[in-house]
Amino acid sequence: MAIIIAGWIDLDVEDVTDIIASAKAHIDGAYTENGCIHYIWTKDVFVPGRIHVYEEWSETADLQYHFDNHWYKDMGGHLRQFPRKGSQIRKFRVDLIEPVYDPSGTPRADFFTAK
């Protein structure tokens, strides 16, 4: 079952571009871990100081390994260098994944293969 980590971090800075760029080694390192499908940190272009976080992991054991590994701890240390104003990061279990568009090209809110 896939696990999604998604949310935001607000730092007490105007521009987070250099903060994200200097975290590249930690981001690249996470991609070397088993089960890491996506590990994306990106600047919000509308909210100064905001970083969006999106991660996708194959299963719970892979995510736990990441939490116990130095790449996670090193990223935390990197971010602690900058005053934080707030954050909201959540995890989601995903039991069904399918395309937004069905075979006819129609966007669907329901899960058409689950019927």
Side-chain angles (χ1 to χ4, degrees):
M1 179 178 310
I3 308 291
I4 303 292
I5 304 286
W8 51 266
I9 301 168
D10 284 346
L11 301 174
D12 194 14
V13 297
E14 280 295 307
D15 189 0
V16 296
T17 302
D18 290 339
I19 295 169
I20 296 170
S22 60
K24 185 175 183 335
H26 311 306
I27 294 166
D28 290 345
Y31 273 112
T32 68
E33 296 174 323
N34 285 339
C36 180
I37 299 166
H38 297 290
Y39 194 86
I40 302 164
W41 294 66
T42 189
K43 171 185 174 176
D44 187 311
V45 297
F46 298 111
V47 179
R50 179 166 285 180
I51 295 172
H52 285 278
V53 177
Y54 177 83
E55 302 175 22
E56 184 177 350
W57 297 88
S58 294
E59 57 186 61
T60 305
D62 296 326
L63 179 58
Q64 186 61 56
Y65 177 84
H66 173 66
F67 288 156
D68 295 337
N69 192 292
H70 75 93
W71 295 120
Y72 173 80
K73 294 171 184 173
D74 293 349
M75 177 64 96
H78 175 67
L79 293 174
R80 280 191 293 280
Q81 298 176 75
F82 310 97
R84 187 177 292 201
K85 293 169 49 175
S87 65
Q88 181 180 52
I89 301 174
R90 297 179 176 161
K91 62 184 176 197
F92 303 87
R93 283 190 315 226
V94 180
D95 66 338
L96 180 60
I97 299 171
E98 68 179 26
V100 170
Y101 296 92
D102 70 15
S104 73
T106 304
R108 302 273 299 263
D110 65 330
F111 288 83
F112 53 91
T113 59
K115 295 181 181 191

